[in-house]
Amino acid sequence: MSPSWVQHAIWWQIYPLGFVGAFPSETPPGPGEHRLRRIVDWFDHAIELGASGIALGPIFASRTHGYDTTDHYRIDPRLGDDGDFDHLVAEARRRGLRVLLDGVFNHVGLDFARHQQAPHDESSARWFRGRPGRFHTFEGHSELVTLNHRNPDVVDYVVDVMAHWLQRGADGWRLDAAYAVPQQFWSEVLPRVRDRHPDAWFVAELIHGDYAAEVTAARFDSATQYELWKAIWSSLNDGNFYELDWAMQRHNEFLDSFAPLTFIGNHDVTRIASRLENPAQVAHALVVLLTVGGVPSLYAGDELNFRGVKEERYGGDDAVRPEFGAPPPQLDPSGVQIWELHRYLIGLRRRHPWLHNAKTKALRLDNRQYVYETRDGDDVLLVALNIDDKPLRIRLTELGAPQGQVVAGSSAPPPETLDAVVVEPHGWRILSPA
């Protein structure tokens, strides 16, 4: 069972190396620049947004983008040193923010000590799949060497690394490329880490397959909900809410066994403002994210209406992993609107913490108009999404409620109790049934 604090978790996710301008960089910074502390400067921004935790991308020593780890016990010198990490944790704690680390335990970089020793040391060679000169690599990336997860020494190493940083103040781990690692490895590692840190949370990066079965077998607490992510933007672009409803039904099934990590953006995908063909529909995507069950994660910059397209080429991630300057951000009118929308909807989520466990049910479904109930026990909200060119007219009695109040929407909500609502073309509403 996940620790109780997760029920209230809303993550603000960042990619540290890009965020502080350490990668890509013509002249990589050294530890003396203490760039990790620049992230701390944005903690108050995260608080104002409504986040309760900071989900960090990789911060451990590596050669390039952070996912080619050189030393899991060392802060990347381009970011700083142990003292900078301690400062980050202390400042997060002072503000009541949780800290999630990104652990790359499927593969390591070419500079990893055991890999350097492998050609001359049989014990080190057994840390990897294959043989020296022909080690397996991750998804064809020659600079990412796959660990041998059947080796007890690798199991012990990963247990120790995870426990080390939890002891130093982290609250949990995102497990990168967890889908590529044998389930048995995780089922051996995670219970041992939990024995030392029972309040830690572990979320696996899964991109396909049977999420619920994977979570159960591998002993994860959660998994990345890529199915829902894809359905949100795809259904909006295609004018096909049937796709979204199908994904929501699947999401309900996942909630029977775990609370997925939900998102509409992260460091690996095109930003939602660039992905959607109609920029006005960012609001609809955000409404879905913050009214379904699970653990929401907001990718830094999405709340500021940042754009960026991921491309399948070397450096293709750079556009979605930009450097952030010093706060506060300077916003144009559209950026202000998106920022305020994020703050309001995150605030609504925090005022209704039961949404963590909520399941949805379609009340009205058409290609371009969708009304669903989100409920946990007696707690319920009604959500109406309209991406059509014609209004969506709703009588509350048709939805099983005699009356209701608008608590949020694309037009100013009237304060009185209503028995009918009209959602304008390309608008949305969230209602509380009376």
Side-chain angles (χ1 to χ4, degrees):
M1 180 178 292
S2 296
S4 59
W5 60 263
V6 178
Q7 297 181 26
H8 303 278
I10 298 175
W11 297 105
W12 189 57
Q13 187 221 344
I14 70 172
Y15 173 74
L17 288 168
F19 193 93
V20 303
F23 179 83
S25 176
E26 291 184 8
T27 305
E33 296 188 28
H34 305 286
R35 293 200 181 196
L36 194 62
R37 295 182 181 232
R38 297 186 187 179
I39 295 172
V40 175
D41 295 340
W42 283 84
F43 280 1
D44 290 339
H45 169 88
I47 292 287
E48 189 177 358
L49 176 66
S52 62
I54 308 297
L56 297 172
I59 60 171
F60 307 118
S62 72
R63 182 188 289 186
T64 60
H65 46 57
Y67 292 97
D68 53 343
T69 314
T70 297
D71 186 347
H72 291 90
Y73 291 102
R74 183 187 181 199
I75 297 297
D76 196 305
R78 294 171 294 176
L79 297 175
D81 54 29
D82 276 10
D84 299 316
F85 177 80
D86 292 340
H87 174 72
L88 182 147
V89 169
E91 289 299 308
R93 288 284 173 272
R94 187 169 69 82
R95 294 169 172 84
L97 291 169
R98 300 278 178 174
V99 176
L100 186 72
L101 298 181
D102 200 347
V104 189
F105 301 121
N106 175 68
H107 49 268
V108 296
L110 300 177
D111 296 333
F112 189 71
R114 289 284 184 174
H115 181 259
Q116 292 287 307
Q117 298 160 5
H120 320 289
D121 176 47
E122 185 177 344
S123 175
S124 294
R126 287 199 295 269
W127 275 56
F128 307 98
R129 293 176 55 201
R131 61 181 186 274
R134 299 195 65 181
F135 286 135
H136 290 218
T137 58
F138 174 58
E139 296 182 349
H141 299 286
S142 59
E143 70 279 8
L144 304 178
V145 187
T146 305
L147 290 166
N148 174 13
H149 298 97
R150 296 181 179 178
N151 185 339
D153 291 339
V154 174
V155 174
D156 291 344
Y157 174 81
V158 173
V159 169
D160 192 69
V161 168
M162 295 177 76
H164 171 82
W165 292 104
L166 291 170
Q167 185 64 38
R168 293 285 297 273
D171 294 284
W173 287 90
R174 171 193 178 268
L175 304 173
D176 181 71
Y179 57 87
V181 178
Q183 295 174 358
Q184 183 178 352
F185 174 81
W186 297 120
S187 67
E188 292 177 20
V189 166
L190 296 181
R192 291 174 57 185
V193 180
R194 284 194 183 94
D195 284 344
R196 302 189 206 178
H197 300 279
D199 209 31
W201 185 65
F202 306 94
V203 54
E205 183 192 18
L206 302 182
I207 57 176
H208 44 55
D210 187 339
Y211 292 178
E214 289 269 352
V215 167
T216 300
R219 309 288 295 274
F220 303 132
D221 288 307
S222 182
T224 52
Q225 228 302 30
Y226 270 95
E227 282 189 13
L228 184 61
W229 162 78
K230 192 270 179 182
I232 290 173
W233 61 259
S234 180
S235 65
L236 291 170
N237 278 349
D238 295 345
N240 179 16
F241 276 136
Y242 288 95
E243 178 187 1
L244 178 58
D245 185 65
W246 183 89
M248 300 269 254
Q249 293 178 50
R250 285 269 293 172
H251 190 68
N252 288 339
E253 295 174 9
F254 299 150
L255 286 162
D256 286 334
S257 55
F258 72 99
L261 181 74
T262 56
F263 58 95
I264 53 175
N266 65 31
H267 65 296
D268 279 331
V269 302
T270 292
R271 286 193 181 270
I272 189 67
S274 295
R275 175 72 74 174
L276 291 174
E277 296 169 4
N278 181 353
Q281 292 175 354
V282 170
H284 298 75
L286 191 63
V287 167
V288 174
L289 173 67
L290 293 170
T291 59
V292 299
V295 183
S297 176
L298 290 304
Y299 183 48
D302 282 356
E303 79 280 13
L304 305 175
N305 206 33
F306 280 16
R307 294 177 175 271
V309 176
K310 176 185 172 70
E311 299 178 359
E312 297 301 326
R313 58 173 179 80
Y314 181 79
D317 294 313
D318 296 349
V320 298
R321 302 175 179 181
E323 180 176 1
F324 281 56
Q330 301 301 310
L331 300 177
D332 60 20
S334 63
V336 171
Q337 184 178 18
I338 290 294
W339 163 251
E340 293 298 340
L341 178 65
H342 274 77
R343 289 185 63 215
Y344 188 87
L345 289 174
I346 293 172
L348 183 144
R349 177 80 177 207
R350 297 191 69 159
R351 292 191 300 274
H352 298 82
W354 56 267
L355 284 166
H356 174 79
N357 299 309
K359 294 185 178 181
T360 60
K361 180 176 71 172
L363 301 179
R364 183 182 296 182
L365 176 59
D366 202 343
N367 282 329
R368 304 178 67 82
Q369 296 183 333
Y370 185 31
V371 181
Y372 62 88
E373 170 191 273
T374 182
R375 174 188 291 273
D376 180 38
D378 293 331
D379 295 310
V380 60
L381 291 173
L382 304 177
V383 180
L385 305 175
N386 185 14
I387 59 172
D388 206 349
D389 294 330
K390 62 184 179 182
L392 168 59
R393 304 180 187 279
I394 304 170
R395 287 199 169 275
L396 275 296
T397 53
E398 297 173 3
L399 306 182
Q403 293 180 316
Q405 287 187 330
V406 175
V407 297
S410 46
S411 292
E416 70 270 14
T417 300
L418 306 169
D419 58 14
V421 173
V422 177
V423 182
E424 72 280 6
H426 307 284
W428 57 275
R429 297 288 188 279
I430 300 175
L431 303 103
S432 176

